[in-house]
Amino acid sequence: MKSAPRDLSLNDETDYGLCFACGPRNPSGLHLTFHRDGRKIVTSLDTRSAHQGFPDYLHGGVITSLLDE
């Protein structure tokens, strides 16, 4: 697999910004930001009660969105 250029942005810097997972302007979104850690790309998520399916369980759609990103 070919590696991406080091100067390629990992975060949404467009005028759109409404992606559910990484859009900084989506009020209902996850607001993920990414950074490089050696050869890995890393993000973290602070979950809210709005992200749960059953009480105290992260919704599978949110988990899938994390994997998709």
Side-chain angles (χ1 to χ4, degrees), residues 11-58:
N11 298 295
D12 185 352
E13 297 173 356
T14 67
D15 291 338
Y16 176 67
L18 294 175
C19 172
F20 172 71
C22 64
R25 294 182 39 223
N26 186 334
S28 300
L30 301 178
H31 300 188
L32 299 176
T33 57
F34 302 90
H35 67 274
R36 288 182 174 83
D37 181 8
R39 295 181 57 198
K40 300 177 196 171
I41 306 276
V42 186
T43 191
S44 62
L45 171 65
D46 291 324
T47 59
R48 303 185 304 257
S49 60
H51 298 140
Q52 63 187 339
F54 286 101
D56 298 324
Y57 286 90
L58 188 61

